[in-house]
Amino acid sequence: MAHVELSLSGAFVPQARTPSEAEFITGVERWTMTVATADEPCLVIDVEGSIVAVSPSGSELLGLGKPADAVGRRFSTAVRLIDFTAGGGRLEDPEAENIPPLLALRSERLARGLIRVVPGEGEAPLTVDAISTPLMAGDRVGGTLTFLSPVRY
């Protein structure tokens, strides 16, 4: 029969510690630093709907110019959003609030959907698959992280 011995060398008392810097950084701040240097098309918007960070490829995909120029601009006005009609009319605010980055803010849940954008003057419309997740700032939603993928057909 097997025999197991246990020896205790004193009570374990956790040591007081200083919180690490990572405990003071919100999800929005952490992802902002990551997105700014990401290779993948992605962006972070804050709770007000303003662009906080966009990757270079995301900025190019959405026709935002240089990433630094897009920061601080409201997403729904910075991106030329159009509807899915044959004429491709401008997507107005009530409908624009339902695109994934803004819907994830409002619903505080994962959101996925297609958006249609005009990347630049005279360019053909582009359909983009967007997956957005809320980012926490403490116990509240402080923004969203969105990954973008062009739909080629």
Side-chain angles (χ1 to χ4, degrees):
M1 184 183 291
H3 178 74
V4 177
E5 262 185 58
L6 177 63
S7 160
L8 298 175
S9 60
F12 171 73
V13 179
Q15 299 295 317
R17 65 179 183 82
T18 303
S20 68
E21 182 181 325
E23 293 178 43
F24 296 111
I25 297 175
T26 67
V28 174
E29 293 167 328
R30 186 172 293 116
W31 279 105
T32 296
M33 294 180 279
T34 303
V35 164
T37 59
D39 289 332
E40 298 80 13
C42 53
L43 65 98
V44 174
I45 62 171
D46 65 14
V47 73
E48 301 297 322
S50 296
I51 299 170
V52 177
V54 61
S55 67
S57 58
S59 187
E60 181 181 340
L61 180 70
L62 297 173
L64 295 172
K66 294 179 181 176
D69 295 339
V71 172
R73 295 173 60 195
R74 184 158 168 77
F75 179 79
S76 59
T77 56
V79 177
R80 293 177 201 94
L81 297 168
I82 60 172
D83 60 28
F84 282 90
T85 62
R90 181 150 179 86
L91 196 62
E92 300 300 326
D93 273 341
E95 293 85 16
E97 294 297 318
N98 290 322
I99 63 171
L102 302 176
L103 181 59
L105 267 180
R106 195 174 68 252
S107 68
E108 299 184 357
R109 295 176 183 250
L110 186 69
R112 181 176 188 187
L114 297 175
I115 59 175
R116 196 166 175 215
V117 301
V118 178
E121 287 297 320
E123 292 188 41
L126 178 66
T127 302
V128 178
D129 185 13
I131 301 173
S132 300
T133 186
L135 297 174
M136 302 306 288
D139 61 346
R140 301 182 56 160
V141 171
T144 62
L145 167 65
T146 303
F147 290 96
L148 307 161
S149 178
V151 177
R152 310 277 188 212
Y153 46 88

